[in-house]
Amino acid sequence: MRITKGVIVGIVFGFGLSFCISFLFMLIAQGLAGGYTSLFGKSWLYYATIFPFMLTFAILGLYFTKQENVSNKKLRLVSLIAALFITLYSGTIGALFGEYVVRGGSLRTYTSGGYTGVNVEGVLIWGTIYSFILLPFTTPLARLIIHAFLELLKKYKISY
């Protein structure tokens, strides 16, 4: 029962966190781009982050409910792996999936003005490069968020 609760709390935490992180990312990006055009931004960003956050925190909920004591070294390694997975997935497959959903099931569309579409190869290559380049920034952020998640599990007596 404890494991099930840990996974469910992880899924809910990941779902909420994906929206918060996407919203903050969108606000910062619009501010740096010169102005705020809409409150919630592009919806593909939200679709790109939902799955990796929910999956990561479901797995972390499972992991933390089975572990009695998590050392600082393990927590740093878990943070590195989680940050890499989330940024790699959301920057590549998640971005393509989000565009696919937003465009109505087609990554390649033809309009009267010519061909418009998504550069799938470029998204896969540059998403991978960005995920590795941004690891020094995303890993400490992941460590902070995972620590907050672990404290939440301890507060509700789901984790040791």
Side-chain angles (χ1 to χ4, degrees):
M1 188 65 171
R2 172 181 271 177
I3 293 173
T4 306
K5 285 182 183 178
V7 170
I8 290 172
V9 168
I11 290 171
V12 172
F13 187 84
F15 183 79
L17 188 65
S18 72
F19 279 98
C20 293
I21 295 291
S22 297
F23 183 73
L24 287 174
F25 182 77
M26 182 275 314
L27 279 179
I28 292 168
Q30 281 189 3
L32 291 174
Y36 300 98
T37 57
S38 74
L39 182 61
F40 292 106
K42 300 292 184 182
S43 59
W44 69 265
L45 182 60
Y46 296 98
Y47 288 118
T49 58
I50 287 175
F51 179 73
F53 273 97
M54 287 175 52
L55 180 65
T56 300
F57 283 98
I59 292 170
L60 288 176
L62 176 72
Y63 177 72
F64 289 142
T65 54
K66 290 185 174 186
Q67 296 294 320
E68 265 189 54
N69 194 6
V70 182
S71 67
N72 193 29
K73 186 177 180 180
K74 280 186 183 179
L75 208 51
R76 286 184 184 186
L77 181 63
V78 166
S79 300
L80 176 73
I81 293 168
L84 181 62
F85 172 71
I86 289 172
T87 56
L88 187 61
Y89 185 92
S90 62
T92 56
I93 298 167
L96 293 173
F97 174 73
E99 282 291 329
Y100 181 79
V101 170
V102 169
R103 291 179 186 256
S106 175
L107 288 177
R108 295 189 175 109
T109 58
Y110 292 92
T111 61
S112 60
Y115 173 75
T116 59
V118 177
N119 180 3
V120 176
E121 183 180 343
V123 168
L124 293 175
I125 291 171
W126 284 103
T128 304
I129 291 170
Y130 286 144
S131 67
F132 281 101
I133 288 175
L134 292 175
L135 270 180
F137 302 106
T138 57
T139 303
L141 179 63
R143 170 75 164 84
L144 181 69
I145 292 169
I146 290 171
H147 182 73
F149 177 64
L150 185 57
E151 292 299 318
L152 178 73
L153 290 177
K154 286 179 183 177
K155 179 181 176 183
Y156 290 111
K157 295 181 174 79
I158 298 172
S159 179
Y160 295 103

